[in-house]
Amino acid sequence: MSMMNLNKLIKPSTVAIVGASESAGFGGDTTKNYLKFSENLDKLYLINPKRETIFGHKAYKSLLEVEGDIDLVIICTPQSTIIPLLREASEKNCGGAVVFASGYSEVGEEGRIKQQELIEEADRLGIAVMGPNCAGFANYINGIFAFAFLVEERERKGNIGFISQSGQIILSGLDSPNMGFSYCISSGNSCNVKVEDYLDFLVDDEDTKVVAAYMEGVTKPAQLIETLKKAANKKKPIIILKTGKSDKSQQLAASHTGSLSGSDKVLRAVFKHYGVIEADDLEELCGAAAAFSWIDKLPEGGKTVFMNVSGGEAGVTADLADEFGIELAEYKQETKEYLMSLLPEYGSVNNPFDMTAGIGYNTPVLCEAIRTISKDENVDAICLAYTITPEIWDDTIAHMVEAVKITREEGNIKPVFWMPFIEHTRHLESANTLKDAGVPLLPTGKYACEIMKKIFDFSVFEFEDLGAAIPENVHNNTFALSEYESLCYLRDKGVNVPAMEVALTPEEAVVKAESLSYPLSVKVNSRDIMHKSDVGGVKLNIKNEEGLNKAFEDIIDSCSSKVPGAKIEGVLLKPMLEPGVEMIIGVNNDKDFGPTIMIGMGGVFVELFKDVQLSPAPLTKSKAMSMIQKLKAYPLLNGYRGSKVCNTDALAELLVKISEVAANGKDTIKEMDINPVFVTEKGVSIADGLLIVYED
Amino acid sequence: MSMMNLNKLIKPSTVAIVGASESAGFGGDTTKNYLKFSENLDKLYLINPKRETIFGHKAYKSLLEVEGDIDLVIICTPQSTIIPLLREASEKNCGGAVVFASGYSEVGEEGRIKQQELIEEADRLGIAVMGPNCAGFANYINGIFAFAFLVEERERKGNIGFISQSGQIILSGLDSPNMGFSYCISSGNSCNVKVEDYLDFLVDDEDTKVVAAYMEGVTKPAQLIETLKKAANKKKPIIILKTGKSDKSQQLAASHTGSLSGSDKVLRAVFKHYGVIEADDLEELCGAAAAFSWIDKLPEGGKTVFMNVSGGEAGVTADLADEFGIELAEYKQETKEYLMSLLPEYGSVNNPFDMTAGIGYNTPVLCEAIRTISKDENVDAICLAYTITPEIWDDTIAHMVEAVKITREEGNIKPVFWMPFIEHTRHLESANTLKDAGVPLLPTGKYACEIMKKIFDFSVFEFEDLGAAIPENVHNNTFALSEYESLCYLRDKGVNVPAMEVALTPEEAVVKAESLSYPLSVKVNSRDIMHKSDVGGVKLNIKNEEGLNKAFEDIIDSCSSKVPGAKIEGVLLKPMLEPGVEMIIGVNNDKDFGPTIMIGMGGVFVELFKDVQLSPAPLTKSKAMSMIQKLKAYPLLNGYRGSKVCNTDALAELLVKISEVAANGKDTIKEMDINPVFVTEKGVSIADGLLIVYED
């Protein structure tokens, strides 16, 4: 599916509302909204065959009665009318339609068929359709309000491009008091325009500073990657709330808009790779979007000074910063001394900094404190942590808001955030002052810290583009290679694997063992036996010829009897490896997003503690090293309690190499399980490997 | 310090404001507040020698001019006047004073001396002092408003007793729109009335349904325990926000109110033991307090049905429930069928339940849905998850609020919660309807789920009172017992320890080894050597006499040369134990709260993954078992990946036994480190033990 041109849909010059009306319902509410909020009504045509006028505006009998072109039709009438209307619209050179009607893919098989018909007809006519089953959109840049739910008047123009697959979530977003929008789009069932298309539109759009999206699934993975890459390269923040972390929400998404959610973990690894900011819920989505929208410059790092006017709240702030991993800046000595000079005798200069009334209640002194802290090169950002309490208007708030405004207007002040401790949005005057000063007013404590942390991480995020490895063909059937074949495959691709030999007879084993060195591991060699130990197919630490002969026979006997049909091709001989820390490297090749590489330690750490790191392949060395270092078990590789320091450099190189094999093998390899890899102070060695490959 | 009677302080019959005035400042603001918000002004005396009247009320020259008794004096004048005023007040049989003045322990050593003088004089006069350096209090039950900061008029009466060591946090609390108070108390520096005294007052108080507190530290641990026990026995919820999780906030608390924070982890284990609900920040403190305050009956468990009117929000809800560990109820078949009959054809009955417009937009049908779900015995609670959007008032909200009101008023409806997705407090009408219906209106997503989870846990919490083991004497110096002495101590107290012998010569070792069985472990026997392995003091797996002789000599030689001054008393002989899963049991005896017992697995799990469980000693068997089962590493004891199922029953019994030894030894034992304990399918065996005991 090629990318749709959305200009006529979202930025139309001429608009018709079909089913316009004065009564409640889609037709009436949409008409009221349009007339109330849209900037230019000259090129608006209201269509209703039963009316002469609607709210004093001329009503047309049909689209065909309108003279000249119609870029966009907003269709408020039921399902059965949609396709005929699109055909009429097409005669007016229409390029976009908003369809509110429901009864499509959200209602089961019959609806899915109707939606398919709609898609085909819309594609044939070249009309980009928003919906069906959507709430419409608001374009605050050109003043076009094609939205089906009544909204109260308030300034909502801003620079957030907001897209949602759920109409309800668009309503919540519109009501969120700190959000200002460039575009607000309810994609509904997404027939021939997908969420990915809107995302791409907003990433390109110059009026949009930050993109916020609620998504249930992905249907155009390759296009999504291109859009995310574009955003990463221009460092435009994209914040996504995607359901599907839990099994339950995956089921719901499947039944709701019929989105195929694919592997949720893979998608989140992709998001991370491209610097996408993930939100866990709506408050975080809206709060983070508003923060990115208000801030005029990203901080250069995450070293933060928190300023409080209460020892108690300073303590609460310290615990929050610790919980959310926000780094507390260490003042330079001169900063500390100067701040001390501003404080009353009993005060002390900490971070979080209890400014006391001496600073907090005195605008000029507070300005001085902010300037001084901002000048400190150990500081990247400042956060004023104080609740805006409209019903208990203590002067402190006025002083603080004023000081922030003054210092920010002077310029050269590092990014400042405002964190309240209880819900804060009721005092619009303070909020507006802070907004004008480019100071995000965050949601309360936990959300605030989570959002600041995400902004800091985004600020220092550096996108490394090695190219995505997206499979080009659809593959269905797979089969497993034997360990020998798997290791040979890796060896052929330049991965260092230990010496090994296959022997079909005991005699051959004895001969081949000479080129290896005892003690040996001996394993059954068969594609058909994946769990070799379970069927007596593994003998370790074989020390001599006698042992080898016995091992050979035992293995063949046991496996032949326990897996009757298996095709057994002798045994695989390998020298016993020097044991080390056991790591697991895995690859899973997602049909949409290609191979994701995983690293973790041993079985328990991976399985019980879920201590793994994931990333799309291929990797850079620095990314590989950072994955290793982010493991909670990392100290076990790094001299924990006097143990030896393992060669993590070699491990990172192996990880890079495997990621390259995976990326190059995107149309060949479905899965890799390199498990275990032994890491010692000298280097790494692969003790076992299993590849599952595509048949075709 | 005995418990103060707070009645004259908090529930006075006669009140004097000293320093009453009409101008801004403590005197004026307190007077204005008192006149505006207090119920009975007949027994109020305004004291100001310079005025005849204040706001039309008679002004007295001094306290002594007032006829009759004065229960409470609210002192708005500076530090230097306080003690003389208390002496005057005492002549009027005064029993309580509120002191706003600062300049005490919060400003360093000089202030601490002044505070000590104040304490001594107040104690001598029998006056309970709130403050100094406090914001005062509001008693909404008797209508007494002794508060120093101007507050706007709003109905704030309710059943939450709120105490804070920080004045700023009291202001935030008062402004929190969902909180209704019985008492709101700013304890300030807590001179002769401590936070623990207010807590006790509120736990006893019948007008207080839920207690919420911000605390920085504990000064009366034994009394706190008694109060918590009382609350646990009557199941009155206590919610505490205590700073001190991070090192930084511990430092701040020490410098702020000079509270000694003791061991933060111990205090949190104590909280957990008594069912105290911990809040992580102010929003959670206020949100949880409001929820407990509004709900009229606790749920019987945590099996919840979430009701949405959006597939998207249902998905977000599912992920939130999963993240916060809220159990999604499984409907009974008949519930499911009935709900299905209420839905349009395309709907489906899930949990979270996307009700669709068919139910959500129709009050009578929604009532039926709520009744049906509530009747299902698999359901403990219902949560309506929908944002109250005042600027986009869609009818759904009205339908939902109305349906909740109707069904709750009928009675017999299980507890219902309301979770918005974005900040919600601006629509007071809906909030009040929900409040009247006993339906908590929670903060947004993450806070809401965290709070519900805490309410569910509290609902099923069963307090098991084995008595607290609080040390009776102050102990300072400690010393370490040798492994032999430690194990003997445990054996004497009835703990099963492996056979062992001490031998002073190689010959004695050989003889004593006969009563044990080879292979043996041989370790240096000395109080002075704690890290025996580091100095060559341990030889394992000694198989015969020859080996034993050599081990004896090697150990004595090595230890004598490496720890020259150590007093060595031969070696400790023990049979090698059957290896098993390695656990650690530890005890730390807190000077305030007594012994806390810890269990975790191996070194890595405890140290890197912090996978430990803590509880005050002594333990019941069920508590011990639950601690073991809550370990993330628990599957490793329970047949993980085909390993043997360990005897966790025996482990729980050992844990109980050790906890009893610790509790009985509260004036003897400072620390125990039983590490490792081997657990096999047969039972447990202690491989090493170290006790640190008090000298006196």
Side-chain angles (χ1 to χ4, degrees):
Chain A
M1 192 187 299
S2 66
M3 209 173 299
M4 273 276 168
N5 184 328
L6 304 186
N7 276 330
K8 282 193 174 178
L9 172 61
I10 298 179
K11 297 169 93 67
S13 299
T14 48
V15 177
I17 301 177
V18 181
S21 134
E22 291 184 1
S23 5
F26 282 151
D29 293 348
T30 304
T31 307
K32 269 189 221 163
N33 274 333
Y34 199 101
L35 295 175
K36 190 168 170 188
F37 294 113
S38 297
E39 273 172 26
N40 186 346
L41 303 180
D42 294 348
K43 295 295 181 81
L44 171 71
Y45 304 102
L46 303 180
I47 316 292
N48 188 331
K50 296 182 189 150
R51 300 287 301 251
E52 293 300 318
T53 62
I54 295 166
F55 295 123
H57 294 260
K58 174 178 177 180
Y60 294 77
K61 298 292 170 215
S62 81
L63 288 168
L64 299 177
E65 202 189 280
V66 174
E67 279 185 38
D69 289 352
I70 301 172
D71 289 347
L72 168 69
V73 287
I74 306 169
I75 307 180
C76 308
T77 51
Q79 189 181 55
S80 59
T81 66
I82 306 298
I83 286 183
L85 283 166
L86 288 185
R87 289 179 185 147
E88 284 188 21
S90 173
E91 292 185 32
K92 309 303 290 177
N93 287 318
C94 172
V98 172
V99 177
F100 301 133
S102 54
Y104 291 92
S105 68
E106 82 282 5
V107 302
E109 190 48 31
E110 207 178 321
R112 266 189 287 276
I113 293 168
K114 290 205 174 114
Q115 186 159 319
Q116 193 50 41
E117 288 166 9
L118 177 60
I119 290 173
E120 282 164 20
E121 191 63 13
D123 278 348
R124 194 182 68 77
L125 299 168
I127 297 177
V129 174
M130 184 177 295
N133 189 29
C134 75
F137 74 93
N139 166 348
Y140 289 97
I141 301 302
N142 309 98
I144 293 156
F145 205 86
F147 199 75
F149 294 89
L150 288 179
V151 175
E152 276 185 36
E153 197 150 2
R154 170 162 67 80
E155 178 59 39
R156 287 192 179 80
K157 182 169 176 172
N159 51 27
I160 300 170
F162 190 38
I163 319 157
S164 169
Q165 279 189 269
S166 155
Q168 188 58 43
I169 284 175
I170 280 284
L171 289 182
S172 289
L174 274 176
D175 196 62
S176 174
N178 290 356
M179 302 261 277
F181 303 96
S182 52
Y183 302 91
C184 215
I185 296 165
S186 158
S187 67
N189 291 11
S190 303
C191 70
N192 71 339
V193 187
K194 304 293 184 189
V195 175
E196 291 88 338
D197 299 310
Y198 299 116
L199 267 178
D200 193 72
F201 170 85
L202 293 174
V203 166
D204 281 340
D205 179 61
E206 302 227 326
D207 298 308
T208 298
K209 181 179 170 195
V210 41
V211 180
Y214 165 76
M215 285 175 78
E216 293 181 0
V218 172
T219 52
K220 295 173 130 183
Q223 182 184 316
L224 178 65
I225 294 290
E226 287 308 310
T227 302
L228 298 185
K229 191 192 293 181
K230 215 176 344 179
N233 280 323
K234 57 162 96 168
K235 208 148 184 164
K236 183 184 276 200
I238 300 181
I239 308 155
I240 293 182
L241 166 58
K242 185 190 166 293
T243 53
K245 281 184 194 161
S246 60
D247 296 345
K248 180 60 82 172
S249 74
Q250 288 190 6
Q251 290 163 24
L252 293 175
S255 75
H256 178 219
T257 40
S259 300
L260 292 173
S261 58
S263 165
D264 185 72
K265 287 198 177 73
V266 170
L267 183 55
R268 290 182 209 275
V270 167
F271 283 166
K272 207 166 146 195
H273 179 70
Y274 290 94
V276 169
I277 298 119
E278 273 206 71
D280 293 327
D281 69 0
L282 257 171
E283 181 80 353
E284 201 171 296
L285 180 70
C286 296
F292 274 109
S293 165
W294 287 21
I295 204 163
D296 54 6
K297 205 184 73 182
L298 286 174
E300 286 177 16
K303 297 193 293 292
T304 307
V305 171
F306 286 93
M307 301 175 79
N308 300 84
V309 197
S310 150
E313 290 182 351
V316 175
T317 305
D319 283 345
L320 283 170
D322 186 65
E323 184 182 346
F324 289 90
I326 296 179
E327 190 183 350
L328 298 172
E330 297 275 354
Y331 305 105
K332 284 169 62 184
Q333 189 56 31
E334 62 207 70
T335 311
K336 207 161 180 171
E337 279 163 17
Y338 187 77
L339 291 176
M340 189 68 89
S341 78
L342 302 179
L343 279 177
E345 206 181 329
Y346 61 86
S348 61
V349 179
N350 285 304
N351 182 15
F353 179 30
D354 174 8
M355 299 186 277
T356 77
I359 297 180
Y361 292 16
N362 185 323
T363 307
V365 178
L366 180 50
C367 287
E368 267 309 286
I370 292 173
R371 286 184 201 111
T372 306
I373 291 171
S374 173
K375 255 184 242 146
D376 190 323
E377 62 226 29
N378 293 348
V379 175
D380 296 315
I382 297 171
C383 177
L384 283 109
Y386 201 83
T387 300
I388 295 177
T389 50
E391 294 183 347
I392 306 170
W393 185 255
D394 64 310
D395 290 346
T396 324
I397 299 164
H399 286 296
M400 288 175 76
V401 172
E402 181 69 11
V404 166
K405 177 177 141 75
I406 291 170
T407 50
R408 294 280 308 166
E409 278 173 1
E410 291 164 4
N412 286 321
I413 293 291
K414 291 196 177 130
V416 178
F417 298 85
W418 191 295
M419 169 174 87
F421 291 95
I422 64 165
E423 180 276 306
H424 62 273
T425 48
R426 289 161 293 141
H427 198 260
L428 278 179
E429 192 188 318
S430 302
N432 285 331
T433 305
L434 293 176
K435 183 178 180 176
D436 292 343
V439 174
L441 175 53
L442 300 167
T444 53
K446 290 185 182 188
Y447 282 108
C449 288
E450 181 89 48
I451 289 169
M452 274 189 283
K453 173 70 176 150
K454 284 176 176 170
I455 291 176
F456 297 151
D457 287 348
F458 180 79
S459 301
V460 298
F461 169 73
E462 285 177 21
F463 175 51
E464 296 184 306
D465 186 13
L466 292 183
I470 297 192
E472 279 156 28
N473 303 306
V474 175
H475 307 280
N476 293 308
N477 300 325
T478 60
F479 65 98
L481 298 183
S482 69
E483 177 177 346
Y484 179 65
E485 291 168 318
S486 299
L487 295 176
C488 286
Y489 184 99
L490 292 176
R491 191 172 56 193
D492 291 349
K493 303 295 177 191
V495 178
N496 216 338
V497 302
M500 58 181 176
E501 295 287 352
V502 164
L504 298 177
T505 62
E507 296 72 30
E508 192 184 355
V510 168
V511 172
K512 290 201 165 165
E514 282 171 25
S515 72
L516 306 167
S517 60
Y518 288 104
L520 295 176
S521 76
V522 186
K523 302 183 191 175
V524 63
N525 183 37
S526 168
R527 281 187 180 178
D528 301 332
I529 301 177
M530 289 186 57
H531 300 289
K532 300 186 274 277
S533 304
D534 297 355
V535 293
V538 178
K539 302 282 170 188
L540 298 177
N541 225 15
I542 302 301
K543 298 199 170 101
N544 49 38
E545 292 188 10
E546 189 191 343
L548 182 50
N549 274 313
K550 182 164 173 6
F552 192 102
E553 276 166 28
D554 288 353
I555 286 174
I556 302 297
D557 285 355
S558 175
C559 292
S560 312
S561 74
K562 288 189 179 154
V563 194
K567 187 180 171 202
I568 296 173
E569 302 185 271
V571 298
L572 175 66
L573 305 173
K574 294 194 291 185
M576 290 299 291
L577 298 172
E578 188 190 344
V581 178
E582 289 185 28
M583 305 296 295
I584 299 175
I585 298 175
V587 167
N588 197 335
N589 190 356
D590 186 78
K591 69 178 176 40
D592 292 332
F593 293 103
T596 301
I597 188 159
M598 179 275 276
I599 185 162
M601 189 177 293
V604 172
F605 298 100
V606 169
E607 290 176 25
L608 292 187
F609 291 90
K610 316 284 179 219
D611 183 25
V612 298
Q613 288 289 317
L614 295 176
S615 180
L619 301 174
T620 57
K621 174 101 179 269
S622 66
K623 181 70 179 284
M625 192 54 99
S626 128
M627 288 171 73
I628 294 166
Q629 289 170 346
K630 277 183 189 154
L631 292 171
K632 281 196 203 125
Y634 172 66
L636 294 174
L637 286 166
N638 200 32
Y640 173 74
R641 292 198 129 203
S643 65
K644 291 186 176 139
V645 175
C646 291
N647 189 339
T648 47
D649 199 68
L651 181 60
E653 276 167 14
L654 175 63
L655 202 57
V656 168
K657 193 73 209 163
I658 300 282
S659 81
E660 287 164 0
V661 173
N664 294 328
K666 65 191 164 65
D667 287 300
T668 311
I669 305 169
K670 172 63 186 140
E671 282 178 36
M672 288 199 233
D673 188 19
I674 322 284
N675 175 13
V677 173
F678 291 125
V679 192
T680 64
E681 68 261 53
K682 283 177 247 156
V684 289
S685 48
I686 293 175
D688 199 348
L690 171 69
L691 265 62
I692 294 176
V693 297
Y694 294 116
E695 268 184 15
D696 34 49
Chain B
M1 196 186 297
S2 67
M3 210 173 299
M4 274 274 167
N5 184 329
L6 304 187
N7 275 329
K8 282 193 173 178
L9 172 62
I10 298 178
K11 297 169 91 67
S13 299
T14 49
V15 176
I17 301 176
V18 181
S21 133
E22 290 185 3
S23 7
F26 282 150
D29 293 348
T30 305
T31 308
K32 269 190 221 161
N33 273 334
Y34 200 101
L35 296 175
K36 189 167 171 190
F37 294 113
S38 298
E39 274 173 25
N40 186 345
L41 302 179
D42 295 348
K43 296 294 182 79
L44 171 71
Y45 304 101
L46 303 180
I47 316 293
N48 187 332
K50 296 181 188 153
R51 301 286 301 249
E52 292 302 314
T53 63
I54 295 166
F55 294 123
H57 293 262
K58 173 178 179 183
Y60 293 78
K61 299 293 170 216
S62 81
L63 288 168
L64 299 176
E65 202 188 281
V66 175
E67 277 186 39
D69 289 351
I70 301 172
D71 288 348
L72 168 69
V73 288
I74 306 169
I75 307 180
C76 308
T77 51
Q79 190 182 52
S80 59
T81 66
I82 306 298
I83 287 183
L85 284 166
L86 289 185
R87 287 177 187 149
E88 283 185 25
S90 172
E91 292 184 35
K92 311 301 291 179
N93 285 318
C94 171
V98 172
V99 177
F100 300 133
S102 54
Y104 291 91
S105 69
E106 81 282 6
V107 301
E109 190 48 31
E110 206 179 321
R112 267 190 286 277
I113 293 168
K114 289 206 175 115
Q115 186 159 321
Q116 193 51 40
E117 287 166 9
L118 176 61
I119 291 173
E120 281 164 22
E121 191 63 13
D123 278 349
R124 194 182 68 78
L125 299 169
I127 298 177
V129 173
M130 183 177 295
N133 189 29
C134 76
F137 75 93
N139 165 348
Y140 289 97
I141 300 303
N142 308 99
I144 294 155
F145 205 86
F147 198 75
F149 294 88
L150 289 179
V151 175
E152 275 185 36
E153 197 149 4
R154 170 162 66 80
E155 177 59 39
R156 287 193 179 80
K157 182 169 176 170
N159 52 27
I160 299 170
F162 189 38
I163 320 157
S164 169
Q165 278 189 269
S166 155
Q168 188 58 43
I169 284 176
I170 279 285
L171 289 182
S172 289
L174 273 176
D175 196 62
S176 174
N178 290 355
M179 302 260 278
F181 303 96
S182 53
Y183 302 91
C184 215
I185 296 165
S186 158
S187 67
N189 291 10
S190 302
C191 69
N192 72 339
V193 186
K194 305 292 184 190
V195 174
E196 291 90 336
D197 299 310
Y198 298 117
L199 267 178
D200 194 73
F201 170 84
L202 293 174
V203 166
D204 282 340
D205 179 61
E206 303 225 328
D207 298 308
T208 299
K209 182 180 169 195
V210 41
V211 180
Y214 165 77
M215 285 176 77
E216 294 181 1
V218 172
T219 52
K220 294 172 132 183
Q223 182 184 315
L224 177 65
I225 294 290
E226 287 307 311
T227 302
L228 298 185
K229 191 191 293 182
K230 218 177 342 182
N233 280 322
K234 56 163 94 168
K235 208 147 184 164
K236 182 184 277 201
I238 300 181
I239 308 154
I240 292 182
L241 166 57
K242 186 192 165 292
T243 54
K245 280 184 194 161
S246 60
D247 296 346
K248 180 61 82 172
S249 73
Q250 287 189 6
Q251 289 163 24
L252 293 175
S255 75
H256 179 218
T257 41
S259 299
L260 292 172
S261 59
S263 165
D264 186 72
K265 287 200 178 69
V266 169
L267 183 55
R268 290 183 209 275
V270 166
F271 283 164
K272 206 166 149 197
H273 180 70
Y274 290 95
V276 169
I277 298 121
E278 274 206 69
D280 292 326
D281 69 0
L282 256 171
E283 182 79 352
E284 200 171 298
L285 180 71
C286 295
F292 273 110
S293 164
W294 287 22
I295 203 163
D296 55 5
K297 203 183 74 182
L298 287 174
E300 284 177 15
K303 296 194 293 291
T304 306
V305 170
F306 287 93
M307 300 175 79
N308 301 84
V309 198
S310 150
E313 291 182 350
V316 175
T317 306
D319 283 345
L320 282 169
D322 186 64
E323 183 183 346
F324 289 91
I326 296 179
E327 191 183 349
L328 298 173
E330 297 274 356
Y331 305 105
K332 283 168 64 182
Q333 190 55 32
E334 63 207 70
T335 310
K336 206 160 180 169
E337 279 163 18
Y338 187 78
L339 291 176
M340 189 68 87
S341 77
L342 302 179
L343 279 177
E345 206 181 327
Y346 60 86
S348 61
V349 179
N350 285 304
N351 181 17
F353 178 30
D354 174 8
M355 299 187 278
T356 77
I359 297 180
Y361 294 16
N362 185 322
T363 307
V365 177
L366 180 50
C367 287
E368 267 309 287
I370 292 174
R371 287 183 200 110
T372 306
I373 291 171
S374 173
K375 253 185 241 145
D376 190 323
E377 61 226 29
N378 293 348
V379 176
D380 296 315
I382 295 171
C383 177
L384 283 108
Y386 201 84
T387 300
I388 295 178
T389 50
E391 293 183 348
I392 306 171
W393 185 255
D394 63 311
D395 289 346
T396 324
I397 299 164
H399 286 297
M400 289 175 76
V401 173
E402 181 70 10
V404 166
K405 177 176 142 78
I406 291 170
T407 51
R408 295 278 310 165
E409 278 174 1
E410 290 164 6
N412 287 321
I413 293 291
K414 290 195 177 132
V416 178
F417 298 85
W418 191 296
M419 169 172 88
F421 291 95
I422 63 164
E423 181 276 306
H424 62 275
T425 47
R426 290 160 294 143
H427 199 260
L428 279 178
E429 192 187 318
S430 302
N432 285 332
T433 306
L434 293 175
K435 182 178 181 178
D436 292 343
V439 174
L441 175 53
L442 300 166
T444 53
K446 290 187 181 188
Y447 282 109
C449 288
E450 180 89 48
I451 289 169
M452 273 189 284
K453 173 68 176 152
K454 284 176 175 169
I455 291 176
F456 297 151
D457 288 347
F458 181 79
S459 301
V460 298
F461 169 74
E462 284 177 21
F463 175 52
E464 296 183 307
D465 186 13
L466 292 182
I470 296 192
E472 279 156 27
N473 303 306
V474 175
H475 308 280
N476 293 309
N477 300 325
T478 60
F479 66 97
L481 298 183
S482 69
E483 177 177 346
Y484 179 64
E485 291 168 319
S486 300
L487 295 175
C488 286
Y489 185 99
L490 293 175
R491 189 172 60 192
D492 291 348
K493 304 295 177 189
V495 178
N496 215 337
V497 303
M500 58 182 175
E501 294 287 351
V502 165
L504 298 177
T505 63
E507 296 73 30
E508 194 184 353
V510 168
V511 173
K512 290 200 166 165
E514 282 172 25
S515 71
L516 307 166
S517 59
Y518 288 102
L520 296 176
S521 77
V522 186
K523 301 183 191 176
V524 63
N525 183 37
S526 167
R527 281 188 181 179
D528 301 332
I529 302 177
M530 288 184 60
H531 300 289
K532 300 187 276 276
S533 305
D534 297 355
V535 293
V538 178
K539 303 281 169 188
L540 298 178
N541 226 15
I542 302 302
K543 297 200 171 106
N544 49 39
E545 291 188 10
E546 189 190 343
L548 181 53
N549 274 313
K550 182 164 172 9
F552 192 103
E553 274 165 30
D554 287 352
I555 286 174
I556 302 298
D557 286 354
S558 175
C559 293
S560 310
S561 73
K562 288 189 177 154
V563 194
K567 189 179 170 203
I568 296 172
E569 301 185 273
V571 298
L572 175 66
L573 304 174
K574 294 194 290 185
M576 290 300 291
L577 299 172
E578 187 190 345
V581 177
E582 290 185 26
M583 304 297 295
I584 299 176
I585 298 175
V587 168
N588 196 335
N589 190 356
D590 185 79
K591 70 179 176 39
D592 292 332
F593 292 103
T596 300
I597 187 159
M598 179 274 277
I599 185 162
M601 189 177 293
V604 173
F605 298 101
V606 168
E607 289 175 26
L608 292 188
F609 291 90
K610 316 285 179 217
D611 182 25
V612 299
Q613 289 287 318
L614 295 175
S615 178
L619 301 173
T620 58
K621 174 99 179 269
S622 67
K623 181 71 178 283
M625 192 55 97
S626 129
M627 288 170 73
I628 294 166
Q629 289 170 346
K630 278 184 188 153
L631 291 171
K632 282 196 203 123
Y634 172 68
L636 294 175
L637 287 166
N638 201 32
Y640 172 75
R641 292 198 127 201
S643 65
K644 291 182 176 144
V645 175
C646 292
N647 189 339
T648 47
D649 199 70
L651 180 61
E653 276 167 15
L654 176 63
L655 202 57
V656 168
K657 193 71 210 170
I658 299 282
S659 80
E660 286 164 0
V661 173
N664 294 329
K666 66 191 162 65
D667 288 301
T668 310
I669 304 168
K670 172 63 186 142
E671 283 178 36
M672 288 200 232
D673 187 20
I674 321 285
N675 176 13
V677 173
F678 290 127
V679 193
T680 64
E681 68 260 53
K682 285 177 244 154
V684 289
S685 48
I686 293 176
D688 198 349
L690 170 70
L691 265 62
I692 295 177
V693 297
Y694 294 115
E695 269 185 12
D696 33 52

